Amino acid sequence: MTTASELPSLRLDATREQVLERATAIVADAWRSFDTARPEQPQIGERLQALLRAELPQAGSSALGALEDAAQMLDVSLAQPRPRFFAFVGSSGLEIGVLGDLLASCFDVNLAVWAGAASEVEDQAIRWVSEFIGFPAAAGAFTSGGTISNVTALAAAREHALPGARRTGVGDVHGALYCSAEAHYSVVRSAELLGLGSAWVRSLPQDDHRRLLPAATAAAIDADRAAGIAPVAVVATAGTTLTGAVDPIAGLADVCEERGVWLHVDGAYGVAAASTLSAGHLFTGLDRADSVTLDAHKWLFLPKACGVVLVRRREDLHGALAHEEDYIPHERPDHHMVDITLEYSRPFRALKLWLAFRAHGADAIRAAIERNLGQARLLHRELGRHDDLEPLCGEPMLSVVPFRHVPSGVADLDAHNARLAQALQEDGSVWISPARVDGKVCLRPCVVNYRTTDDDVRALVELTRELGTRLAR
Amino acid sequence: MTTASELPSLRLDATREQVLERATAIVADAWRSFDTARPEQPQIGERLQALLRAELPQAGSSALGALEDAAQMLDVSLAQPRPRFFAFVGSSGLEIGVLGDLLASCFDVNLAVWAGAASEVEDQAIRWVSEFIGFPAAAGAFTSGGTISNVTALAAAREHALPGARRTGVGDVHGALYCSAEAHYSVVRSAELLGLGSAWVRSLPQDDHRRLLPAATAAAIDADRAAGIAPVAVVATAGTTLTGAVDPIAGLADVCEERGVWLHVDGAYGVAAASTLSAGHLFTGLDRADSVTLDAHKWLFLPKACGVVLVRRREDLHGALAHEEDYIPHERPDHHMVDITLEYSRPFRALKLWLAFRAHGADAIRAAIERNLGQARLLHRELGRHDDLEPLCGEPMLSVVPFRHVPSGVADLDAHNARLAQALQEDGSVWISPARVDGKVCLRPCVVNYRTTDDDVRALVELTRELGTRLAR
């Protein structure tokens, strides 16, 4: 006879088969609903509002009921996998990746230190993704996202530029970062966190294509050196969140090599496109970087979180992060990942990328990125067909296409486009966020979803004109 | 007719029903296998070794085959949910939490900014977990784990102690952290990352129960202040990774309040036990802390990653992390989470904790923690029954019970216990890691798993004696 003390202490009121069946039915329904655009983004109804006000439940309740409520909550949340989610830099929730997350969560392996085959799979996935983008990584790790990847790489750069800083503090020698004026905030955040200070982030001028100018970068570094300021790293953005501009990596690599300065490529959004025929040339010089950030939950279509940080020399991460502790002996030094990762405990995020490369193959993933690139160009062409639409940038380098609605007779175009963005969100059949480019309020669609079709792109144009025209009356 | 451009660009060679069925069968098998201890930890066989050497696949392959290979890889990985996984501070992979991860991954909501009901669920889960442990949180967020939670809280503390540091850098005013000599490395890492420097972490003496001494803390703060060093924060550990000691929070709160110094409680491992009858008293004063770290993937049994950071005043996080960017407008300031989180894009980690509280209820979760506490005491009693086993600490405060095998006639007990730890890992029927307590190599089991039974604890004792005796011959 099995007594209570021989059973797990937490048990559900439904069988495993029942909860698995219910959860997979929710997933299957969701996937079907992601196949096509939904007519609207539904609101949070009264029943859910009441649930959201509920106090901490002291007693348990129906597991199937809880799952059903979760499904209803998710239905009224912003699911980025929907084909007309164009806001920010979205996620696709690739289906094999979702199953990878399920398996990783079930086995709950911890990649902090060696964890059996999972550690080897992480190594292999790092090798694969490095090869996919063409970066000669000596080491790397999966992270919770681009910000953690950038902080990790720049912590290594800081220790490289200011040796001993991890022990003594950054002290009174100022260290500077150099980046495009439109680099992601995580560069500034890295400077803040790392004790360098945001005032020492040199947000530098861009060329006509909104790319960081190597000459301006060189001049800024030289001026800082002359003033006793230590250059910590140049951050090449590939591409920017605002417009998808890819900084000239080769030119920046020249600047960095001549001066012995660390080159970090923040490719969280765009570096996956280095694998493509039509955009690959934009990333020339990537193989000369010291470190690279990539978010596989962006343009490799996987569910969050699937960040990646790669370095050319393992010892750079090791020098910034390695340590000894009595409670975590170096049993397998090659896989003592806490010596090269900022996080400590880490879930098995590599599995979903490994599964995606296995099941879909690099060619199909590359083709899916290529399709998004083509859709961005399609969107740009569509804008050109209508007098009341104005693209704010030239032909897209990657897949962000900022534009605004400019109907005749509207004086305040900023207010009009802000209202239009809100009207589009209220309509809910597409999801798009406003942005500011050169001070102008605009719509800023980004196409990074393998479910998005050409029709979805055309629908965005049509709906924008329809709602915009109505608002302008 | 649907043309290729109207379909998702990535498609599997199996139907959704087939891949879901296969994945859930793997999960059901895994859960069954977690019900009881396995006789050994299997090795990575030749077929898997060959797979691990494979180059990046250019073409896709069978989705069901890839899932099957993933299952085999996971079977030879260290799955922390197994009932005899006693190493580090493990994870349980609570089943309803695994399903929460599945749903969150499928809908791939991004909690960076307002995302519909998911944002409200995160708020509610933060309220619930705060109430569960008894901390009056004004704000909080889910993070990727304890290190990120600690860095986040200490970044807020740094800005509090050194106003403007995020902008100007930490400069030449040194800022110090105060903690137990056995605080987690993430405190040192925070000092390193934040530009303070590990040299300014005051690792302070402990009392007989390995708890940070408030008087020593007060003296260190006062000495630093007199020397022009800025106290940034006291970190109370609750409890330590090495032995489970819980620092005297109330005494440290007195010290901090008198001196206007930030009190952070690193409860990544242990603070969930603040909810229990038998250990709750150890956490007296928790409600007076400025910030708290909790890992719900530790003693709330959920799968990784499910870190939590809580603060008493929302503006403290806001002051350290808020910002304006052209590409991410403040549409819903109350849920502009990137203003209070270190990470940017964030998966919907709150969902699994929300589901666990809904389905199991706080009472059952509290009882499960209580059972682990009882099992640690049971283990300590079992050690006392055998002359060849030596506990290295008194009765456990939480659920870490360091001990070693001390058979008569063995001169080098460190070497013996190191060999014993290795022999136990090779046997594989329990999983335990060695550690060093007061310089002595020992075994360091930690009981934080809802599947662990009293029999599992007794089996650890028996196997240790059996293998240890054999090694000592």
Side-chain angles (χ1 to χ4, degrees):
Chain A
M1 197 191 112
T2 304
T3 64
S5 71
E6 288 156 7
L7 288 171
S9 55
L10 292 170
R11 293 182 296 278
L12 298 172
D13 68 347
T15 66
R16 286 167 170 167
E17 290 66 31
Q18 287 172 325
V19 291
L20 279 170
E21 190 184 326
R22 187 72 204 96
T24 51
I26 293 167
V27 170
D29 281 351
W31 283 347
R32 267 191 298 275
S33 90
F34 298 162
D35 280 340
T36 50
R38 71 195 329 194
E40 59 174 1
Q41 173 67 27
Q43 300 298 305
I44 307 173
E46 275 182 33
R47 197 185 81 83
L48 295 187
Q49 292 284 9
L51 280 180
L52 288 166
R53 285 189 299 268
E55 298 293 310
L56 172 65
Q58 297 299 328
S61 62
S62 157
L64 296 176
L67 286 171
E68 181 53 37
D69 287 341
Q72 292 190 23
M73 292 291 183
L74 286 161
D75 190 56
V76 292
S77 299
L78 291 173
Q80 302 202 338
R82 295 188 193 282
R84 295 185 185 173
F85 184 94
F86 293 109
F88 315 118
V89 181
S91 273
S92 296
L94 184 68
E95 297 175 14
I96 195 79
V98 171
L99 300 179
D101 270 344
L102 169 63
L103 299 186
S105 181
C106 170
F107 286 80
D108 210 4
V109 171
N110 190 339
L111 274 293
V113 294
W114 187 81
S119 297
E120 315 276 348
V121 171
E122 180 172 39
D123 281 355
Q124 187 173 35
I126 288 291
R127 289 198 304 274
W128 286 356
V129 73
S130 303
E131 180 183 337
F132 186 75
I133 62 168
F135 177 72
F142 285 79
T143 73
S144 74
T147 296
I148 300 303
S149 292
N150 281 347
V151 173
T152 303
L154 294 173
R158 189 192 65 181
E159 194 63 16
H160 187 258
L162 304 170
R166 67 181 285 207
R167 209 185 69 75
T168 59
V170 293
D172 51 6
V173 177
H174 287 295
L177 300 177
Y178 307 83
C179 62
S180 152
E182 288 172 354
H184 190 263
Y185 176 68
S186 54
V187 177
V188 170
R189 176 161 286 174
S190 296
E192 293 177 339
L193 276 178
L194 293 170
L196 303 171
S198 57
W200 306 92
V201 176
R202 310 307 190 187
S203 293
L204 298 170
Q206 303 170 316
D207 67 15
D208 290 348
H209 299 284
R210 310 186 87 88
R211 295 177 297 201
L212 176 56
L213 284 160
T217 308
I221 292 172
D222 294 344
D224 275 347
R225 278 241 167 96
I229 295 159
V232 169
V234 171
V235 179
T237 304
T240 63
T241 309
L242 191 63
T243 74
V246 179
D247 289 337
I249 302 172
L252 293 167
D254 289 342
V255 169
C256 287
E257 279 170 17
E258 281 161 20
R259 288 162 182 79
V261 174
W262 187 287
L263 176 61
H264 175 64
V265 174
D266 177 3
Y269 153 40
V271 79
S275 67
T276 62
L277 201 62
S278 78
H281 64 94
L282 296 171
F283 301 85
T284 303
L286 177 66
D287 56 329
R288 295 163 63 192
D290 295 287
S291 53
V292 176
T293 286
L294 175 150
D295 277 352
H297 55 254
K298 293 192 169 88
W299 225 347
L300 293 177
F301 308 109
L302 290 159
K304 282 178 292 299
C306 202
V308 175
V309 61
L310 304 170
V311 290
R312 167 184 300 280
R313 296 167 300 272
R314 189 177 201 277
E315 57 268 30
D316 283 332
L317 286 179
H318 202 265
L321 296 164
H323 59 283
E324 292 283 348
E325 288 294 326
D326 281 344
Y327 51 79
I328 191 162
H330 276 70
E331 296 186 301
R332 307 239 188 172
D334 286 352
H335 283 104
H336 200 76
M337 292 298 281
V338 294
D339 274 353
I340 65 167
T341 60
L342 198 165
E343 297 167 277
Y344 231 76
S345 291
R346 284 184 310 130
F348 189 16
R349 300 176 182 123
L351 183 62
K352 50 191 158 184
L353 182 57
W354 188 87
L355 277 169
F357 275 131
R358 281 284 309 272
H360 292 292
D363 288 342
I365 294 172
R366 198 179 292 120
I369 300 169
E370 196 71 86
R371 184 164 99 164
N372 287 154
L373 289 165
Q375 287 166 335
R377 288 179 214 120
L378 167 67
L379 173 54
H380 196 259
R381 282 196 306 276
E382 289 288 313
L383 299 177
R385 291 180 48 229
H386 302 288
D387 287 346
D388 58 348
L389 296 178
E390 176 195 21
L392 296 192
C393 300
E395 177 151 331
M397 265 192 255
L398 296 179
S399 65
V400 178
V401 187
F403 71 97
R404 54 185 198 162
H405 188 234
V406 289
S408 58
V410 170
D412 188 344
L413 288 171
D414 284 347
H416 175 69
N417 280 276
R419 273 202 308 271
L420 175 53
Q422 200 185 332
L424 283 161
Q425 290 191 1
E426 282 161 11
D427 176 87
S429 66
V430 304
W431 198 265
I432 192 164
S433 59
R436 266 183 196 272
V437 173
D438 297 328
K440 296 176 182 173
V441 174
C442 63
L443 307 176
R444 185 210 142 275
C446 177
V447 193
V448 287
N449 191 320
Y450 76 94
R451 290 186 174 95
T452 301
T453 64
D454 293 3
D455 283 349
D456 293 321
V457 170
R458 289 192 195 94
L460 169 65
V461 172
E462 282 160 30
L463 187 67
T464 300
R465 295 188 69 220
E466 181 189 323
L467 294 189
T469 304
R470 203 181 303 161
L471 278 177
R473 263 176 213 151
Chain B
M1 198 191 114
T2 304
T3 64
S5 71
E6 288 156 7
L7 288 172
S9 55
L10 292 169
R11 294 183 295 278
L12 298 172
D13 68 347
T15 66
R16 285 167 170 168
E17 290 66 31
Q18 287 172 324
V19 292
L20 278 170
E21 190 185 327
R22 187 73 204 96
T24 51
I26 293 167
V27 170
D29 281 351
W31 283 348
R32 266 191 298 275
S33 90
F34 299 162
D35 280 340
T36 51
R38 71 195 329 195
E40 59 174 2
Q41 174 67 26
Q43 300 298 305
I44 307 174
E46 276 183 32
R47 197 184 81 84
L48 295 187
Q49 292 283 9
L51 279 180
L52 287 165
R53 285 190 299 268
E55 298 292 310
L56 172 65
Q58 297 298 328
S61 61
S62 157
L64 296 176
L67 286 170
E68 181 53 38
D69 287 341
Q72 292 190 23
M73 292 291 183
L74 286 161
D75 190 56
V76 292
S77 299
L78 291 173
Q80 302 202 338
R82 295 187 194 281
R84 294 185 185 173
F85 184 94
F86 294 109
F88 315 118
V89 180
S91 273
S92 296
L94 184 68
E95 296 174 13
I96 195 79
V98 171
L99 300 179
D101 270 344
L102 169 63
L103 299 186
S105 181
C106 171
F107 285 81
D108 210 4
V109 170
N110 190 339
L111 275 293
V113 295
W114 187 81
S119 297
E120 316 277 348
V121 171
E122 180 172 38
D123 281 355
Q124 187 173 35
I126 288 291
R127 288 197 305 274
W128 285 357
V129 74
S130 303
E131 181 183 337
F132 186 75
I133 62 168
F135 177 72
F142 285 79
T143 73
S144 74
T147 296
I148 300 303
S149 292
N150 281 347
V151 174
T152 303
L154 294 173
R158 189 192 65 181
E159 194 63 16
H160 187 258
L162 304 170
R166 66 181 285 206
R167 209 185 69 76
T168 59
V170 294
D172 52 6
V173 177
H174 287 294
L177 300 177
Y178 308 83
C179 62
S180 152
E182 288 172 354
H184 190 263
Y185 176 68
S186 54
V187 177
V188 170
R189 176 161 286 173
S190 296
E192 293 177 338
L193 276 178
L194 293 170
L196 303 171
S198 57
W200 307 93
V201 176
R202 310 307 190 187
S203 292
L204 299 169
Q206 303 170 317
D207 67 15
D208 291 348
H209 299 284
R210 311 185 86 88
R211 294 177 298 202
L212 176 56
L213 284 160
T217 307
I221 291 172
D222 294 344
D224 276 347
R225 278 242 166 95
I229 295 159
V232 169
V234 171
V235 179
T237 304
T240 63
T241 309
L242 191 62
T243 74
V246 179
D247 289 337
I249 302 172
L252 294 168
D254 289 342
V255 168
C256 287
E257 279 169 18
E258 281 161 19
R259 288 163 181 78
V261 174
W262 187 287
L263 176 61
H264 175 64
V265 174
D266 178 3
Y269 153 40
V271 80
S275 67
T276 62
L277 201 62
S278 78
H281 64 95
L282 296 171
F283 301 85
T284 302
L286 177 65
D287 56 329
R288 296 163 63 193
D290 295 287
S291 53
V292 176
T293 287
L294 175 150
D295 276 351
H297 56 255
K298 293 192 170 87
W299 224 347
L300 292 177
F301 308 109
L302 290 159
K304 282 177 292 299
C306 202
V308 175
V309 61
L310 304 170
V311 290
R312 167 184 300 280
R313 296 166 300 272
R314 189 177 201 277
E315 57 267 30
D316 283 332
L317 286 179
H318 202 264
L321 296 163
H323 59 283
E324 291 283 347
E325 288 294 327
D326 281 344
Y327 51 79
I328 191 162
H330 276 70
E331 296 185 300
R332 306 238 188 172
D334 286 353
H335 283 103
H336 200 76
M337 292 297 282
V338 293
D339 274 353
I340 65 167
T341 60
L342 199 166
E343 298 167 277
Y344 231 76
S345 291
R346 283 185 310 129
F348 188 16
R349 300 176 182 123
L351 183 62
K352 49 192 159 185
L353 182 57
W354 188 87
L355 277 169
F357 276 131
R358 281 285 310 270
H360 292 292
D363 288 342
I365 294 172
R366 199 179 292 121
I369 300 169
E370 196 71 86
R371 184 165 98 163
N372 288 153
L373 289 165
Q375 288 166 335
R377 288 179 214 120
L378 167 67
L379 173 54
H380 195 259
R381 282 196 305 277
E382 290 288 313
L383 298 177
R385 291 180 48 229
H386 302 288
D387 287 346
D388 58 348
L389 296 177
E390 176 195 22
L392 296 192
C393 300
E395 177 150 332
M397 265 193 254
L398 296 179
S399 64
V400 178
V401 187
F403 71 97
R404 54 186 199 162
H405 188 233
V406 289
S408 58
V410 170
D412 188 343
L413 287 170
D414 284 348
H416 175 69
N417 280 276
R419 273 201 309 271
L420 176 53
Q422 200 185 332
L424 283 161
Q425 291 191 0
E426 282 161 12
D427 176 87
S429 66
V430 304
W431 198 265
I432 192 163
S433 59
R436 266 183 196 273
V437 172
D438 298 328
K440 296 175 182 172
V441 175
C442 63
L443 307 175
R444 185 210 142 275
C446 176
V447 193
V448 287
N449 191 321
Y450 76 95
R451 290 186 175 96
T452 301
T453 64
D454 293 2
D455 283 349
D456 293 321
V457 170
R458 289 191 195 94
L460 169 65
V461 173
E462 281 160 30
L463 187 67
T464 300
R465 296 189 68 219
E466 181 189 324
L467 294 189
T469 304
R470 203 180 303 161
L471 278 177
R473 262 175 213 151

